[in-house]
């Protein structure tokens, strides 16, 4: 039997699942279904991963690596341990290797094929790094699957009923809300929204601010203090804040006690009511995202058959209340920590097994949509830069789209095309994904047309291509040039350019867009 795994590579814990003997299950690795996403070094030659590494975080933090997921996509981040440098990709690949080896032991088989889940709001760099980590671990990464979609698959498969569900996913650092249509074995994402800068960490920080005010009243002001002591104190406050937050998921009130901090002792009561007030702006933001995702899907709360909660921060009482008030009482999975990896394992099995061996409802199909617009910076008639979406928010992918733009100046030698994601007209307020420098070969006193193609692949990773086109080019010629580009090893999708021509977008763009600088 050739197995394919579903891996939920989490910030704090990871879970591995597999579909076998007609059902999906999480695998026990070193006696537990959740494996801490921790790597530690006992000495230069002894690396520990998972369960064995976790207790060392407290006694030997300098040689322990936690929460590496937060640094995926950060190409400058390095962990230097015993003189060896590790990138976030290296660390994640070590964790993945451990997970797969554990799974192989449980299954008694070698495994190569995996699906790894990622937050819906992961950037391209974060997704690329996740894929790289898998490949570095010697795995064949069939797909990267958005966590909300995975949760929906785990919930919705085999229910024997068509339905529309909302997945509300609030983790440590990101918030996603998605609406999916489930028809038999077909999962269709109708709309997604969210905030990539909102999560449980922000809740902790609000409590920290509150505690800093309390410390101030004891004569200790660290608000604008960047000393080592102040940083250490903030770290202590942060840990206490997270503990208090977690307690308030069960209790009406909690005592935050720090026996020694900056020479004083702190003992403060935090009530649930006060805590909810502290995080009110974030709660309101998630409400507005719930409303906007409904609007994008052209639905009302009555159209939603089920709301599924995913992510550690949904244990927060206020979140359950919000969801109940806005939509309906949320459904909470029996296997809340395993649901995401279950979904990934089901899709992995569906992609690799012969149809008759995957019984839940026949082959699984899913279509996802981008949660944000992707585009470039262009200049308007007055040479003011603005954001021009090429693939707009909520477009189903995989998809390819393109535009034409022009150089600004006579004899311009180079074009710098900057790629952003976001919804703001002002590029500075969007997230920059990268840029491409294109040298102009045929310098001209006239404006030179530039063709740009965005290719959003099945993992939701954007590939961006740019090509210089001859001046006064006609439709037939463009296709020829594109063909030439392809023959010369440059990728460019002929069909996209043809569609572009048919849609008269080129003429439209000629008047709307002046140029790229
Ligand atoms: P995840 O990324 O899904 O693992 O979620 C991690 C976030 O969930 C962190 O901010 C945790 O502090 C938070 N979290 C975990 N357990 C709880 C809980 N019982 N109540 C509130 N927040 C929690």
């Amino acid at each position: 039997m050739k197995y394919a795994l579903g891996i939920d590579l989490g910030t704090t814990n990871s879970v591995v699942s597999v579909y076998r003997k007609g059902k999906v299950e999480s695998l026990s690795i070193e006696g537990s279904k959740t494996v801490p996403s921790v790597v530690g070094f006992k000495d230069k030659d002894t690396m520990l991963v998972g369960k064995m590494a976790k207790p060392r975080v407290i006694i030997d933090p300098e040689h322990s690596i936690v929460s590496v997921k937060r640094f995926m996509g950060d190409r400058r981040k390095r962990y230097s341990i015993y003189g060896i440098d590790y990138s976030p990709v290296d660390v994640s690949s070590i964790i993945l290797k451990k997970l797969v080896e554990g799974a192989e032991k449980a299954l008694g088989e070698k495994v190569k094929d995996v699906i790894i889940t990622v937050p819906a709001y992961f950037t391209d760099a974060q997704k690329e790094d996740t894929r790289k980590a898998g490949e570095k671990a010697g795995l064949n990464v069939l797909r990267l699957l958005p966590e909300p979609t995975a949760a929906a698959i785990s919930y919705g498969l085999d229910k024997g009923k068509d339905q529309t569900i909302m997945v509300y996913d609030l983790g440590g650092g990101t918030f996603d809300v998605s609406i999916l249509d489930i028809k038999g074995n077909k999962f269709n994402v109708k709309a997604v929204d969210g905030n990539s800068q909102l999560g449980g960490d922000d809740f902790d920080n609000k409590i920290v601010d509150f505690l800093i005010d309390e410390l101030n009243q004891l004569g200790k002001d660290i608000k604008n203090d960047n000393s080592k002591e102040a940083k250490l104190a903030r770290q202590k406050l942060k840990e206490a804040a997270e503990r208090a937050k977690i307690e308030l998921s069960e209790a009406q009130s909690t005592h935050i006690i720090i026996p020694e901090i900056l020479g004083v002792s702190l003992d403060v009561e935090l009530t649930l009511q006060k805590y909810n007030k502290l995080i009110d702006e974030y709660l309101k933001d998630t409400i507005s995202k719930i409303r906007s995702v409904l609007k994008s899907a052209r639905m009302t709360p009555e159209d939603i058959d089920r709301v599924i909660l995913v992510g550690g921060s949904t244990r927060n009482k206020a979140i359950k209340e919000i969801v109940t008030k806005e939509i309906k009482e949320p459904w909470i999975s029996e296997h809340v920590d395993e649901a995401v990896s279950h979904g990934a394992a089901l899709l992995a099995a569906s992609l690799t097994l012969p149809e008759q061996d995957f019984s839940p409802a026949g082959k699984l199909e899913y279509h996802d949509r981008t949660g944000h617009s992707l585009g470039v910076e262009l200049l308007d008639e007055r040479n003011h830069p603005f954001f021009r979406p090429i693939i707009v928010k909520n477009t189903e992918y995989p998809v390819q789209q393109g535009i034409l733009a022009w150089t600004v100046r006579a004899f311009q030698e180079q074009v710098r095309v900057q790629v952003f994601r976001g919804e703001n007209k002002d590029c500075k307020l969007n997230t920059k994904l990268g840029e491409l420098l294109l040298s102009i070969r045929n310098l001209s006193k006239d404006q030179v047309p530039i063709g740009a193609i965005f290719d959003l692949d099945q993992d939701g990773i954007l590939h961006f291509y740019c090509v210089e086109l001859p001046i006064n080019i006609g439709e037939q010629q463009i296709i020829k040039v594109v063909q030439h580009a392809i023959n010369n090893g440059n990728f460019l999708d002929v069909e996209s350019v043809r569609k572009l021509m048919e849609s008269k977008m080129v003429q439209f763009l000629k008047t709307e867009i002046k140029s790229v600088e």
Side-chain angles (χ1 to χ4, degrees), residues 8 10-13 69-70 147 169-174 199-204 238 242-243 245-250 275 310-317 337:
D8 173 2
T11 308
T12 29
N13 289 303
K69 190 170 177 177
R70 290 194 212 282
E147 287 158 12
D169 179 359
L170 186 64
T174 60
D201 282 350
D202 299 296
F203 300 175
D204 302 343
K238 176 108 172 113
E242 189 180 10
R243 276 195 303 272
K245 172 187 79 174
I246 290 174
E247 272 169 37
L248 288 172
S249 290
E250 303 295 332
Y275 168 59
V310 186
S313 297
T314 57
R315 295 201 173 97
N316 202 306
K317 277 191 183 150
D337 296 323

Side-chain angles (χ1 to χ4, degrees), residues 366-402:
Y366 93 95
H367 298 284
D368 228 315
R369 284 170 200 269
T370 64
H372 23 250
S373 300
L374 300 159
V376 290
E377 183 175 84
L378 294 174
L379 299 176
D380 66 12
E381 302 78 42
R382 284 167 295 142
N383 273 354
H384 290 159
F386 70 98
F387 176 61
R388 173 63 157 90
I390 295 183
I391 296 176
V392 297
K393 181 173 164 167
N394 277 321
T395 302
E396 198 174 304
Y397 63 81
V399 65
Q400 291 174 324
Q401 310 251 318

Side-chain angles (χ1 to χ4, degrees), residues 119 133 435 480:
E435 64 178 43
K480 243 187 172 150

Side-chain angles (χ1 to χ4, degrees), residues 12 35 43 96 120 131 140 148 151 193 272 336 344-345 355 421 451 462 487:
T12 29
V35 179
D43 53 54
L96 284 167
R131 188 171 255 290
N140 175 32
D193 217 311
L272 182 62
V336 73
E355 180 134 15
R421 83 172 195 190
L462 180 68
N487 293 340

